[in-house]
Amino acid sequence: MAEIRIEHLRKEFGAFSAVEDSSFVVRDGEFLALLGPSGCGKTTTLRMIAGLELPTSGKIFLAGGDVTFNRARERDIAFVFQLFALYPHMNVRKNIGFPLLAQGIAKAEIRARVEETARLLQIDHILDRSVSGLAGGDRQRVALGRAIVRRPKCFLMDEPLGTLDTEFRDLMVRELRELHNRIHATTVYVTHDQLEAMAMADKIAVMNHGVIEQFGTPQEIYNRPATMFVADFIGSPPMNFLRFTAGLQRGARTVSVEGVPVAVPEIHDDVAMGEIALGVRPEDIRFSDASPLRGVVYGSEYHGTNQIVAVEMAKGLIKARVPADQNFRIGDTVGLELNHHNLSLFECTSGRAVRSSRHTQVQHG
Ligand code: ATP
């Protein structure tokens, strides 16, 4: 297996810039999710790594070698678009072995590698069955088998679970991660679904308008978002923003929100007067009668183990995740206590996180 290194990769289509100055490393055996909304440049990035699209500028290294101008078939990469595309007239064995047959590999070796792959995917008992009669999960495993039987240096997957219903999708998310734990293949996986990315990936690159806004572990991205876009894109419900106008001083440990002093992690930047957003995750808000930060309950959604409560503040709605047995009525005034260890601050004009004792390790794109 192999490391993928991307350096200052750009792709322009005429005057339109689809990918802007992307740099990142996927270490040997790591699973990277390229995550972002439709049109942000995920597929274009993946196609450049695969050799299906030439970059406008920048470099791509695979296992230490510069492959920027190599053809797709010279890169030893398996590109999985759609895991259900099987040959319906062939049985499981022939479907899995097909890429090896196409490479002219000897029959005995094909047989051995197909059987080894089938054992890995736990489908060795159905090798001689026709694929047309298989259930969805087994079809998907056959398609995966066809990708891994070649033992490529890495896997590139473009929304492979895109068309599946939720239940089956959750099952395949678990299976893909388990497969990854067994074969440790360097993988780049494109998705617009934050839950898929969080559940499967070792690292996530969050993209927006062709730019990688943040590259980090799921924990870093969730807990220390580098930008307001990342904070808003990750999490369900997303991070709340309490906006206020202020200048911030290095060393400060409180800010004033809606006229109430709120403790925050120590600020490490001086920020000129302007609009600031205090970012707080719904689970970091607690109802407390003693808190002077107050709002009015607007509505709630019951989720069994907890409830999401919308609270109207002076400058808009925020959502709190509170215990399911907490009692209140719509229209009640509640006090809100914020978990000051987990708060983020953002400059609204640039959207960037203000550095603080919590954010010092954040990388910007
Ligand atoms: P989606 O999930 O919708 O495919 P994406 O993040 O994968 O989104 P890309 O497919 O990489 O996005 O496309 C990024 C932008 O580049 C889009 O605005 C798209 O319209 C544009 N684009 C992609 N390929 C081409 C092309 N061959 N010519 C012109 N524009 C293109």
Side-chain angles (χ1 to χ4, degrees):
M1 288 300 156
E3 177 183 279
I4 301 170
R5 178 181 293 273
I6 303 301
E7 286 181 5
H8 303 293
L9 207 58
R10 298 179 63 84
K11 180 67 190 180
E12 283 159 16
F13 293 109
F16 176 73
S17 182
V19 175
E20 289 185 27
D21 196 18
S22 276
S23 297
F24 59 80
V25 176
V26 194
R27 296 194 198 292
D28 188 15
E30 232 172 31
F31 191 123
L32 170 75
L34 279 179
L35 173 68
S38 180
C40 70
K42 308 179 294 289
T43 296
T44 305
T45 303
L46 202 69
R47 286 174 59 81
M48 288 192 280
I49 300 172
L52 299 172
E53 197 85 69
L54 263 187
T56 305
S57 60
K59 288 201 175 300
I60 302 166
F61 297 88
L62 184 60
D66 184 347
V67 297
T68 314
F69 297 106
N70 290 13
R71 290 169 211 260
R73 63 185 140 82
E74 293 163 354
R75 296 193 187 194
D76 201 4
I77 279 175
F79 199 122
V80 184
F81 295 94
Q82 230 278 15
L83 283 177
F84 280 93
L86 301 176
Y87 301 114
H89 56 285
M90 293 183 192
N91 65 14
V92 171
R93 184 184 295 278
K94 288 200 170 132
N95 260 283
I96 297 179
F98 190 79
L100 302 183
L101 195 67
Q103 283 177 9
I105 291 175
K107 279 204 173 135
E109 172 154 9
I110 294 181
R111 190 175 182 86
R113 274 167 67 177
V114 167
E115 287 176 3
E116 180 197 343
T117 303
R119 274 195 299 278
L120 194 66
L121 292 161
Q122 293 158 5
I123 48 172
D124 40 336
H125 58 292
I126 56 167
L127 272 174
D128 296 315
R129 296 244 312 259
S130 156
V131 292
S132 50
L134 294 182
D138 284 338
R139 290 176 69 83
Q140 188 112 357
R141 282 175 210 117
V142 176
L144 269 178
R146 209 169 51 188
I148 65 180
V149 76
R150 279 178 40 210
R151 299 180 189 151
K153 286 205 178 96
C154 32
F155 288 99
L156 306 180
M157 302 195 187
D158 194 355
E159 304 255 13
L161 311 182
T163 55
L164 303 184
D165 60 41
T166 316
E167 193 187 341
F168 191 49
R169 203 181 171 104
D170 291 348
L171 175 72
M172 286 319 299
V173 163
R174 282 201 302 279
E175 290 222 357
L176 275 176
R177 183 63 224 192
E178 278 167 22
L179 179 69
H180 181 78
N181 292 345
R182 270 178 265 145
I183 64 176
H184 295 292
T186 311
T187 302
V188 183
Y189 184 99
V190 160
T191 180
H192 64 275
D193 184 322
Q194 49 144 339
L195 296 178
E196 262 181 34
M198 299 287 266
M200 278 193 276
D202 300 310
K203 300 271 176 62
I204 299 176
V206 186
M207 291 190 74
N208 185 28
H209 295 307
V211 173
I212 295 180
E213 296 235 349
Q214 191 169 3
F215 185 95
T217 64
Q219 292 78 2
E220 281 164 351
I221 283 178
Y222 187 81
N223 291 320
R224 299 200 297 270
T227 65
M228 290 175 85
F229 172 82
V230 174
D232 185 54
F233 195 77
I234 307 278
S236 177
M239 186 175 263
N240 296 290
F241 298 123
L242 289 159
R243 291 168 192 263
F244 56 97
T245 302
L248 302 178
Q249 278 84 45
R250 194 181 306 209
R253 289 167 182 270
T254 54
V255 294
S256 177
V257 179
E258 305 200 351
V260 174
V262 172
V264 292
E266 186 180 328
I267 294 168
H268 288 181
D269 277 337
D270 287 321
V271 180
M273 182 63 88
E275 197 182 14
I276 304 288
L278 177 71
V280 55
R281 293 269 179 217
E283 60 274 24
D284 289 319
I285 302 174
R286 209 165 69 83
F287 289 172
S288 157
D289 289 340
S291 172
L293 186 64
R294 303 191 83 78
V296 175
V297 173
Y298 181 83
S300 72
E301 279 169 39
Y302 177 66
H303 286 217
T305 51
N306 57 52
Q307 55 187 327
I308 306 292
V309 185
V311 178
E312 182 134 45
M313 310 291 290
K315 289 199 177 169
L317 279 184
I318 64 166
K319 289 189 172 176
R321 191 187 297 278
V322 301
D325 58 1
Q326 186 129 32
N327 287 319
F328 50 80
R329 284 190 303 268
I330 289 175
D332 280 356
T333 296
V334 288
L336 303 174
E337 198 175 281
L338 312 182
N339 176 1
H340 67 271
H341 297 294
N342 287 351
L343 299 178
S344 300
L345 288 161
F346 300 92
E347 271 183 276
C348 295
T349 317
S350 67
R352 296 225 149 176
V354 175
R355 287 188 318 126
S356 71
S357 53
R358 179 172 173 68
H359 274 79
T360 40
Q361 294 149 37
V362 163
Q363 301 170 26
H364 291 290

